[in-house]
Amino acid sequence: METVSQLDPAQPEELPAEEESREQERKELEGFVAEQAAKFEQKAALRLQNVAPERPPESFFTRCDSSLKKNTAFVKKLKQFTASQLEGLLKDMAGLNLTKYISEVSAAIVEAKLKMSDVGPALTLCSKLHQTYGDFAGSLFENWQKVLHVKAGEKIGNPSKMRVDLRFYGELISVGIFTNKVGLPLLGLCLTALISQDKEEHSNLSIILSFCRHCGDEYAGLVPKKMLELAKKHSVTVPSSNLLPSDKQQNLRNLLKDYYQTLFEHLKNEHKQLQYAEKSRRRMLESKGEVSNDKKEQIEMLQNNYEKLLSSTQTMADLLNESLPELTVEVEVCPTEGTVIDNIGDEQFANLDPWGDEDTRNFYVNLPDLRQFLPNYCGKKRRNTSGRTGHHGGSARHGGSRTGHRSRSRTSAGTGRSRSCRRRRRGTDDGTEYAASPRKPRVL
């Protein structure tokens, strides 16, 4: 019987890791290019509609409702605008005559606390208002002048709202509601004020970064560094906006690069402070064995500030196609074994003299009995019982007798004082207490 060999179907060979990575990069680049192209195309189409709008005739407004109640209710809804309300507001606007309420409508749109996700629907609503009412753009611009005017030395009270407002205003210029001649000067003054007065603390960094992310491609020609490298690697052209000429974009790009240089210097200073705090913490731990709570809180605060600043600096460096230099780390040289005392031998310790001289040693070692200096101390005192010794026998005997006489006198005197002290400490039954002399009682 013949055996027929069955061959397995050939399995597709796996792509090498390098080729697979290259394919992923190309897909990521193609997605970015398609997104940018669709964004610019959509804005260009909307800009054409807003630059030369076809507004309805006067007869259209006569058929609409111009009552105070409904128009006021519409204005109140605008002050609380969200993306989900767009369809309802467009439907209400189609039946209202807002000719007499354009100033209120414009003020409500500018005062509304929008989110980033609400900017797109708000642009659609503003475009519809601009294409319907001819004086809407002028009234809206007057309200933006009040909001975007940044005084010298004045800090931004609400950075979150300023982030959204600056992007919203830039998008209004981009879609043609404001012409470049009218809208760009106010935008330039606002950006210049935010950057020029914030080159030390960088409190406006979040506002500048937000504008660079959302509007930097149109106003400064910003493209993420990674996408530029991929486009160069795969020979792909990244689409660009035709809103501004290249020289206008270069002016804003130079302003942003100067701001980035000051930001990097700020980052280096924060890094040095953090290193100094860590060094101080190690010294405290070595000397005291623990770290105080204040020091821990200080280091934690410095660490959080440094990490936030580092993340923002990296983002801005990527947007501006700048390389972030490495921060130097100071290496502290520590002894490998113990301290200086550990390196001293036993022989050297034996030769050390802590006193320096004999008088100092006696002062600290030979301590006197302080009780001997108390006035009424009645303890035993050592007496000198040895007699004086002369050069010849007669003098010795005579001196010895005198010495013995004085010793007996002192002994009797001491005995009397001891009895007197005991009597003085011991009270009597009739409430009397003896004083120093045993013969004269003293009544207390």
Side-chain angles (χ1 to χ4, degrees), residues 15 28 79 113 126 128 171 173 181 193 250 422:
L15 295 176
E28 184 179 1
K79 292 182 179 180
K113 296 180 180 180
C126 290
K128 188 64 177 178
E171 299 283 6
I173 300 174
K181 184 178 181 180
Q250 185 63 38
R422 286 197 297 272

Side-chain angles (χ1 to χ4, degrees), residues 232-261:
K232 183 178 180 180
K233 180 178 179 180
H234 297 279
S235 301
V236 176
T237 302
V238 178
S240 59
S241 173
N242 57 358
L243 177 65
L244 295 178
S246 58
D247 57 340
K248 297 289 185 181
Q249 293 180 347
Q250 185 63 38
N251 293 335
L252 180 56
R253 192 157 54 244
N254 293 337
L255 185 64
L256 293 173
K257 286 185 177 181
D258 293 341
Y259 186 71
Y260 168 75
Q261 295 298 329

Side-chain angles (χ1 to χ4, degrees), residues 99-346:
T99 305
K100 298 180 180 180
Y101 305 94
I102 289 299
S103 59
E104 288 82 357
V105 170
S106 303
I109 292 175
V110 174
E111 293 174 4
K113 296 180 180 180
L114 304 178
K115 298 179 181 179
M116 285 296 179
S117 58
D118 300 330
V119 174
L123 286 174
T124 303
L125 179 65
C126 290
S127 297
K128 188 64 177 178
L129 288 168
H130 174 66
Q131 295 169 14
T132 306
Y133 301 95
D135 53 349
F136 171 74
S139 178
L140 185 64
F141 181 74
E142 291 178 359
N143 286 276
W144 279 117
Q145 283 181 315
K146 301 175 184 178
V147 174
L148 297 180
H149 178 66
V150 180
K151 297 180 181 179
E154 181 181 3
K155 291 187 177 181
I156 305 301
N158 191 351
S160 300
K161 190 176 188 307
M162 178 59 77
R163 284 198 298 267
V164 181
D165 288 348
L166 196 61
R167 181 201 170 182
F168 189 17
Y169 181 78
E171 299 283 6
L172 289 172
I173 300 174
S174 177
V175 298
I177 295 178
F178 300 143
T179 62
N180 292 356
K181 184 178 181 180
V182 174
L184 287 178
L186 179 60
L187 180 63
L189 289 175
C190 182
L191 288 173
T192 304
L194 290 174
I195 292 176
S196 61
Q197 65 184 15
D198 189 46
K199 293 186 177 181
E200 294 182 0
E201 297 181 359
H202 297 95
S203 56
N204 300 331
L205 178 59
S206 60
I207 302 174
I208 303 301
L209 277 179
S210 175
F211 182 81
C212 291
R213 288 195 195 100
H214 298 98
C215 303
D217 50 359
E218 292 184 304
Y219 289 95
L222 302 182
V223 180
K225 183 178 180 180
K226 180 180 179 180
M227 294 302 160
L228 284 177
E229 294 176 352
L230 291 178
K232 183 178 180 180
K233 180 178 179 180
H234 297 279
S235 301
V236 176
T237 302
V238 178
S240 59
S241 173
N242 57 358
L243 177 65
L244 295 178
S246 58
D247 57 340
K248 297 289 185 181
Q249 293 180 347
Q250 185 63 38
N251 293 335
L252 180 56
R253 192 157 54 244
N254 293 337
L255 185 64
L256 293 173
K257 286 185 177 181
D258 293 341
Y259 186 71
Y260 168 75
Q261 295 298 329
T262 61
L263 178 63
F264 181 69
E265 292 297 328
H266 187 184
L267 180 66
K268 289 198 299 184
N269 293 334
E270 289 288 334
H271 186 251
K272 289 181 180 179
Q273 291 183 9
L274 180 60
Q275 282 189 315
Y276 179 79
E278 287 288 346
K279 186 177 180 181
S280 176
R281 182 191 65 83
R282 289 194 298 268
R283 289 181 177 177
M284 181 180 294
L285 185 62
E286 292 174 359
S287 60
K288 298 183 178 181
E290 61 179 358
V291 181
S292 62
N293 293 331
D294 294 340
K295 177 62 69 175
K296 291 180 181 178
E297 293 177 359
Q298 179 191 8
I299 294 177
E300 184 178 358
M301 182 184 66
L302 289 174
Q303 183 70 31
N304 293 335
N305 293 339
Y306 171 73
E307 290 178 356
K308 291 180 181 179
L309 190 62
L310 176 61
S311 177
S312 300
T313 307
Q314 290 174 342
T315 302
M316 194 163 190
D318 181 70
L319 290 172
L320 296 175
N321 195 18
E322 295 284 339
S323 58
L324 184 64
E326 294 184 2
L327 299 174
T328 57
V329 179
E330 297 181 1
V331 179
E332 184 179 2
V333 180
C334 300
T336 56
E337 295 183 0
T339 59
V340 178
I341 298 179
D342 296 335
N343 298 327
I344 300 178
D346 295 336

Side-chain angles (χ1 to χ4, degrees), residues 388-421:
R388 297 182 181 178
T389 305
H391 293 284
H392 49 84
S395 299
R397 286 192 300 270
H398 182 70
S401 62
R402 286 189 298 175
T403 303
H405 177 71
R406 283 197 298 268
S407 299
R408 286 192 298 272
S409 300
R410 291 174 182 173
T411 303
S412 60
T415 305
R417 283 197 299 271
S418 300
R419 292 174 181 174
S420 173
C421 291

